[in-house]
Amino acid sequence: MKNQKPKVVIVGAGFGGISMAKYFKNKPVDVLLIDQNNFHNFQPLMYQIATGGLEPYSIAYPVRRIFRNYKNVRCRMAFVESVVVSEKKLKTSIGDIFYDYLIVATGSKTNYFNFEPIKDKLLTLKSIPDALNIRSFLFQNLEKALSNETQDLPEVLNIAIVGGGPAGIELAGALAEMKRYVIPKDFPELDTSKMNIHLYEAGEDLLGAMSQEASDKALEYLEGLGVHVFLNTRVSGYDGTALLLPDNTKFYTDTVIWTAGVKGAPIDGIPSEAIIGGNRILVDAYNSVVGTENVFAIGDVAACLNDENPRGLPMLAPVAQQQGKHLAKNIVTHLNGKPMKPFRYFDKGTMATIGRRKAVVDLPKWKFQGTFAWMVWMFIHIMSLVGFRNKVVALLGWMLSYFTYDKPLGLIIRRFTK
Amino acid sequence: MKNQKPKVVIVGAGFGGISMAKYFKNKPVDVLLIDQNNFHNFQPLMYQIATGGLEPYSIAYPVRRIFRNYKNVRCRMAFVESVVVSEKKLKTSIGDIFYDYLIVATGSKTNYFNFEPIKDKLLTLKSIPDALNIRSFLFQNLEKALSNETQDLPEVLNIAIVGGGPAGIELAGALAEMKRYVIPKDFPELDTSKMNIHLYEAGEDLLGAMSQEASDKALEYLEGLGVHVFLNTRVSGYDGTALLLPDNTKFYTDTVIWTAGVKGAPIDGIPSEAIIGGNRILVDAYNSVVGTENVFAIGDVAACLNDENPRGLPMLAPVAQQQGKHLAKNIVTHLNGKPMKPFRYFDKGTMATIGRRKAVVDLPKWKFQGTFAWMVWMFIHIMSLVGFRNKVVALLGWMLSYFTYDKPLGLIIRRFTK
């Protein structure tokens, strides 16, 4: 007995995959949503996990719980090993899975560029375990700075962040606030003047994708918090203790947090002619993967090149969400025998926060910074967190931290050594 | 320039070490509190971490933050390798540390008895990482039970708990409630009748240290929740898939959670004549370690044998707390040239919870069970959690879970494989 409804398989429960599966509620398709984790996480707040401002459960929510009342959506936690497009088949850690429509929504991963061979010496911020490792490492080093044996080593307290995009500046701001407000209380014996926070950006500006006003204000805010920002500075090497700078000077640090770039994370088996620069999958205006049938890609991993966006759309949550919803609509339209419509991105603006009452917001027609921007940032992020419980907990946590300046607990639940 | 105040070094930031250091506030001693973790944790609620009812930060609090306003208490995160009593010296991971008074408050660790050689095949519940591993393992298995390749294996869903003390019964109750209220909603495709929860106790009763009424009621509650309880049943072997029972039958399970016993965790270098049965340190009525000078032991690791307690006091938080406070007072008394007083334990009672509105309480003169017992249990545990923030968060979390039956998120943040 064959199931009559077409089977839509979505790989990846990020912003794109989730928004797509949600649209399919009670539509005439069977949806299977596969992810290597059993939760969706709110990537834009990952830096808060690293600095202890939020706990993992505040930004992560079980995929199964999101789709509890969706009778035609099933969830599986599995690794997808490859796709065999000629057989409409996925090979996975839980066996072969066949599809009628395949959606690749696998997102992006850290791009180490020329630091790839020494990536194990770097910390990164792409997943919750990554972020918890940063947290453990930072607090282990604060303890080391009090040990007889390591207290005089400059690398123990110094911190380098490589990359001046949103992740880098948000992390730098949070660390600077921690240095100023929390560490002196919990580590009164420590001389925090030995803790230097350096941020290295290869380009001319912080937040290169935002407006000049936003870039300039972010720089001003970070310097005001005591972060040393180095623009036009491409770090050239790292031996685990000293970061080598282009002028051949060194910055001694144990802690190099790499936020310098990401690249697509496609599935093996996608035709190689569809894999383009940045490891992304080339799609047409309908998010259909070039050279395949019934295979689509959305979000960070997908790139539709045109005159307006010669390098594809930016890797942002709203792009993925809009593409997910649009593609789901298109598939339903297609099943009804009607023509699909091309995707168009509606840019609602971008924002970043540097610290308490310090944020920058670029709307299409209005750019502003400061306390009001921070309140807008806060409101948007809390409202975006998936699930009622998460919202309330995040709100309470943030309110408490606002009134006490005291949030990061810095529990070293699992030690981390590189 | 020599510091004139005597140096008290406390090893272990459990209930004993914390209560002792607190008493020393502004007393004429310098206190150094050493622990291998940077937090104190509330051990009695560890089973809640394993089942996802609470998050680590709800039952853990940074040691440094407890002692923020204690000018004469310093904290160090370090491993203590050994003590050299002849030199009044500790060897630690952060160098040598000298003491005038040493307090060993290192607690207890899992006793695997004859299962020691295969302990890596067992799960346990002694630390937060242990508990998080149980959580990951349980939810990984729920996912495996939906995989084409492993769904028919009985060991995937079955769970065995070995040991019918408080930890074992509290865990069994929480798992039974999860099976009944949460899993059917999040895993609608799963046949939960294949999930059998077995509890094995070698003795005649559950909760052997409590009253007969409490033992009987705990059994009734667990069976009412669908747990299969086996009394007088000493498990005899485990190959990773099948648990061997004394009647030579087998129970197929991936998941054997070992709560069958604990033993003391003393420091190397304590004179061997002071190490007695159960790996505990023999102390006199003043908690002074037999055969040493100015070395004391309190809490689970210490045992004072007398006619009333031929095997020492029970390994309970209130014993450790009372001993810590008493010993701190005695040291101050001693510094004032007055004689120390012997320790006497004031038994305020014991309690355990099996599930919502199901708890057992033994007070010295009153034993009761049921909803009121559960409310008493809840009240005592919330009030005991260290730190204001923890209390509020635990209370909110519990209230939410009470009204929704829906708490365990089951986030598999880090996979765990044995």
Side-chain angles (χ1 to χ4, degrees):
Chain A
M1 208 172 78
K2 197 181 174 306
N3 189 330
Q4 296 304 306
K5 285 195 263 177
K7 188 167 175 190
V8 177
V9 176
I10 302 170
V11 184
F15 289 110
I18 294 282
S19 82
M20 189 157 184
K22 278 187 169 173
Y23 181 84
F24 279 130
K25 185 172 189 173
N26 298 329
K27 298 289 190 297
V29 291
D30 274 333
V31 177
L32 184 71
L33 179 57
I34 305 175
D35 197 283
Q36 54 185 315
N37 290 312
N38 71 344
F39 54 84
H40 165 72
N41 69 48
F42 194 79
Q43 188 71 33
L45 291 172
M46 200 59 84
Y47 78 98
Q48 289 270 357
I49 305 291
T51 53
L54 289 174
E55 296 298 321
Y57 78 106
S58 300
I59 69 157
Y61 203 72
V63 176
R64 296 188 171 281
R65 202 149 301 177
I66 299 173
F67 294 102
R68 248 192 196 176
N69 300 313
Y70 289 62
K71 287 190 182 149
N72 61 328
V73 177
R74 287 177 307 136
C75 306
R76 288 292 182 276
M77 186 176 89
F79 291 100
V80 172
E81 290 149 12
S82 62
V83 54
V84 186
V85 290
S86 58
E87 301 175 42
K88 292 192 169 184
K89 182 174 86 175
L90 285 176
K91 294 187 168 191
T92 82
S93 59
I94 57 169
D96 289 351
I97 291 171
F98 291 87
Y99 62 82
D100 294 311
Y101 294 87
L102 174 67
I103 289 85
V104 182
T106 44
S108 58
K109 56 187 179 184
T110 301
N111 190 345
Y112 293 97
F113 299 105
N114 55 324
F115 276 60
E116 180 75 32
I118 55 157
K119 66 179 178 184
D120 290 346
K121 294 191 171 126
L122 309 173
L123 297 160
T124 183
L125 195 59
K126 203 55 187 149
S127 70
I128 293 180
D130 287 348
L132 290 172
N133 287 345
I134 290 180
R135 191 199 286 189
S136 288
F137 197 77
L138 289 170
F139 282 88
Q140 283 165 217
N141 268 3
L142 289 169
E143 297 287 343
K144 270 173 90 171
L146 294 177
S147 151
N148 302 333
E149 295 175 2
T150 45
Q151 64 186 350
D152 294 323
L153 302 174
E155 62 265 31
V156 173
L157 285 179
N158 286 338
I159 297 171
I161 296 165
V162 183
I169 66 143
E170 292 181 334
L171 186 63
L175 289 171
E177 289 195 333
M178 188 196 284
K179 173 184 166 183
R180 180 173 294 189
Y181 300 114
V182 179
I183 296 173
K185 288 194 220 164
D186 284 334
F187 295 83
E189 303 153 75
L190 208 66
D191 176 4
T192 53
S193 72
K194 290 182 182 172
M195 178 185 226
N196 299 292
I197 303 170
H198 285 198
L199 176 68
Y200 299 97
E201 164 56 40
E204 280 187 5
D205 284 306
L206 298 177
L207 299 175
M210 291 186 70
S211 66
Q212 193 64 44
E213 294 96 305
S215 300
D216 293 347
K217 201 73 186 181
L219 178 62
E220 183 189 320
Y221 283 148
L222 281 180
E223 292 187 334
L225 284 168
V227 176
H228 303 277
V229 179
F230 300 82
L231 299 173
N232 298 306
T233 305
R234 192 181 295 276
V235 297
S236 52
Y238 183 54
D239 63 7
T241 306
L243 190 67
L244 195 64
L245 305 173
D247 62 1
N248 278 321
T249 60
K250 288 176 176 180
F251 179 56
Y252 286 89
T253 179
D254 275 350
T255 311
V256 178
I257 303 173
W258 186 266
T259 66
V262 290
K263 59 183 177 186
I267 300 176
D268 280 355
I270 296 287
S272 60
E273 63 267 28
I275 305 291
I276 60 167
N279 218 27
R280 292 168 93 185
I281 300 174
L282 185 64
V283 294
D284 64 19
Y286 308 92
N287 282 95
S288 177
V289 176
V290 168
T292 66
E293 221 171 296
N294 289 4
V295 180
F296 299 83
I298 58 174
D300 284 6
V301 77
C304 172
L305 311 185
N306 53 37
D307 291 346
E308 216 175 314
N309 297 289
R311 300 178 59 194
L313 288 165
M315 292 177 167
L316 292 173
V319 175
Q321 286 169 322
Q322 291 176 31
Q323 286 179 336
K325 192 171 169 189
H326 182 86
L327 176 56
K329 273 186 193 173
N330 261 344
I331 287 177
V332 173
T333 305
H334 185 245
L335 289 171
N336 292 332
K338 292 180 193 159
M340 291 186 168
K341 288 180 187 164
F343 172 75
R344 281 199 66 79
Y345 174 51
F346 174 55
D347 181 2
K348 288 188 256 183
T350 49
M351 53 180 73
T353 184
I354 295 89
R356 283 155 56 90
R357 300 198 305 247
K358 298 180 186 70
V360 295
V361 175
D362 284 0
L363 300 185
K365 296 187 175 176
W366 185 31
K367 302 177 199 328
F368 56 104
Q369 303 88 31
T371 302
F372 180 64
W374 181 76
M375 289 168 66
V376 169
W377 180 90
M378 197 83 141
F379 179 79
I380 297 278
H381 280 78
I382 290 176
M383 289 301 120
S384 306
L385 284 178
V386 183
F388 167 78
R389 182 169 157 277
N390 283 4
K391 279 175 203 167
V392 174
V393 171
L395 185 65
L396 284 176
W398 266 328
M399 280 173 52
L400 207 64
S401 105
Y402 186 77
F403 289 113
T404 63
Y405 273 95
D406 207 30
K407 189 68 193 315
L409 287 179
L411 305 170
I412 304 173
I413 299 291
R414 305 199 196 238
R415 275 186 186 68
F416 178 71
T417 44
K418 288 183 291 183
Chain B
M1 209 172 76
K2 197 180 173 305
N3 189 332
Q4 297 302 308
K5 287 195 263 178
K7 188 169 177 188
V8 177
V9 176
I10 302 171
V11 183
F15 289 109
I18 295 283
S19 83
M20 188 156 185
K22 277 188 169 173
Y23 181 85
F24 280 130
K25 184 172 189 174
N26 298 328
K27 299 289 189 297
V29 292
D30 274 333
V31 178
L32 184 71
L33 179 56
I34 305 175
D35 197 283
Q36 55 183 317
N37 290 312
N38 71 342
F39 54 83
H40 166 73
N41 69 49
F42 193 79
Q43 188 72 32
L45 290 173
M46 201 59 84
Y47 77 98
Q48 289 270 358
I49 306 292
T51 52
L54 290 174
E55 295 299 320
Y57 79 106
S58 300
I59 69 158
Y61 203 73
V63 177
R64 296 189 171 281
R65 202 150 300 178
I66 299 173
F67 295 102
R68 247 191 197 175
N69 300 313
Y70 288 63
K71 286 189 183 150
N72 61 328
V73 177
R74 287 176 308 136
C75 307
R76 289 291 182 276
M77 186 176 90
F79 293 98
V80 173
E81 289 147 13
S82 63
V83 56
V84 186
V85 290
S86 58
E87 300 174 45
K88 294 194 170 182
K89 182 174 85 175
L90 285 176
K91 294 187 169 191
T92 82
S93 58
I94 57 170
D96 289 350
I97 292 170
F98 291 87
Y99 62 82
D100 296 310
Y101 295 87
L102 174 67
I103 290 84
V104 182
T106 43
S108 57
K109 57 186 178 184
T110 301
N111 190 346
Y112 294 97
F113 299 105
N114 55 326
F115 276 60
E116 179 75 32
I118 55 158
K119 66 179 178 185
D120 290 346
K121 293 190 172 125
L122 309 174
L123 297 160
T124 183
L125 196 59
K126 206 53 190 147
S127 70
I128 294 181
D130 287 347
L132 290 172
N133 287 345
I134 291 180
R135 190 198 285 190
S136 287
F137 198 76
L138 290 171
F139 282 88
Q140 284 164 216
N141 268 2
L142 289 170
E143 296 287 343
K144 269 173 90 173
L146 293 177
S147 151
N148 302 330
E149 294 174 0
T150 45
Q151 63 186 353
D152 294 323
L153 302 174
E155 62 265 33
V156 172
L157 284 179
N158 286 338
I159 297 171
I161 296 165
V162 183
I169 66 144
E170 292 180 336
L171 187 63
L175 289 173
E177 290 196 331
M178 190 196 284
K179 174 184 166 184
R180 181 173 292 188
Y181 300 115
V182 180
I183 295 173
K185 287 193 218 162
D186 283 336
F187 295 83
E189 303 152 75
L190 209 65
D191 176 5
T192 55
S193 73
K194 290 183 182 171
M195 179 184 225
N196 298 293
I197 303 170
H198 284 200
L199 176 68
Y200 298 97
E201 164 56 39
E204 279 187 4
D205 284 307
L206 298 177
L207 300 174
M210 292 184 70
S211 67
Q212 193 64 45
E213 293 97 304
S215 299
D216 293 347
K217 202 72 186 179
L219 179 62
E220 182 190 319
Y221 284 148
L222 281 180
E223 293 187 332
L225 284 168
V227 176
H228 303 277
V229 179
F230 299 82
L231 299 174
N232 297 305
T233 305
R234 191 180 296 275
V235 297
S236 52
Y238 183 55
D239 63 6
T241 306
L243 191 65
L244 194 63
L245 305 174
D247 61 2
N248 278 321
T249 59
K250 288 178 174 177
F251 178 57
Y252 285 90
T253 178
D254 273 352
T255 312
V256 178
I257 304 172
W258 187 266
T259 66
V262 292
K263 59 183 177 185
I267 300 176
D268 280 355
I270 297 287
S272 58
E273 63 268 26
I275 305 291
I276 59 166
N279 218 25
R280 293 168 93 183
I281 301 174
L282 185 65
V283 295
D284 64 17
Y286 308 92
N287 283 96
S288 178
V289 176
V290 168
T292 67
E293 221 171 295
N294 288 3
V295 179
F296 299 84
I298 58 173
D300 284 5
V301 78
C304 174
L305 311 187
N306 53 37
D307 291 346
E308 215 176 315
N309 297 289
R311 301 178 58 195
L313 287 165
M315 293 178 167
L316 293 173
V319 175
Q321 285 169 322
Q322 291 177 29
Q323 286 179 336
K325 193 172 171 188
H326 183 85
L327 177 55
K329 274 187 192 171
N330 260 344
I331 287 176
V332 174
T333 306
H334 185 243
L335 289 170
N336 291 332
K338 293 180 194 157
M340 291 186 169
K341 289 181 187 162
F343 173 74
R344 282 200 64 82
Y345 174 49
F346 173 55
D347 182 2
K348 289 188 255 183
T350 48
M351 53 180 74
T353 185
I354 295 92
R356 282 155 56 92
R357 299 199 304 248
K358 297 180 187 68
V360 295
V361 176
D362 285 358
L363 300 186
K365 297 189 176 176
W366 186 31
K367 301 178 200 325
F368 56 104
Q369 303 88 32
T371 302
F372 180 63
W374 182 75
M375 287 168 66
V376 169
W377 179 89
M378 196 83 141
F379 180 77
I380 299 278
H381 280 78
I382 290 176
M383 289 303 119
S384 306
L385 285 178
V386 183
F388 167 80
R389 183 168 157 278
N390 283 3
K391 280 175 206 167
V392 175
V393 172
L395 185 65
L396 284 177
W398 266 329
M399 281 173 50
L400 208 63
S401 105
Y402 185 78
F403 290 113
T404 61
Y405 272 97
D406 209 31
K407 189 71 195 313
L409 287 180
L411 305 171
I412 304 173
I413 299 291
R414 305 200 198 237
R415 274 184 189 70
F416 178 70
T417 45
K418 289 183 291 184

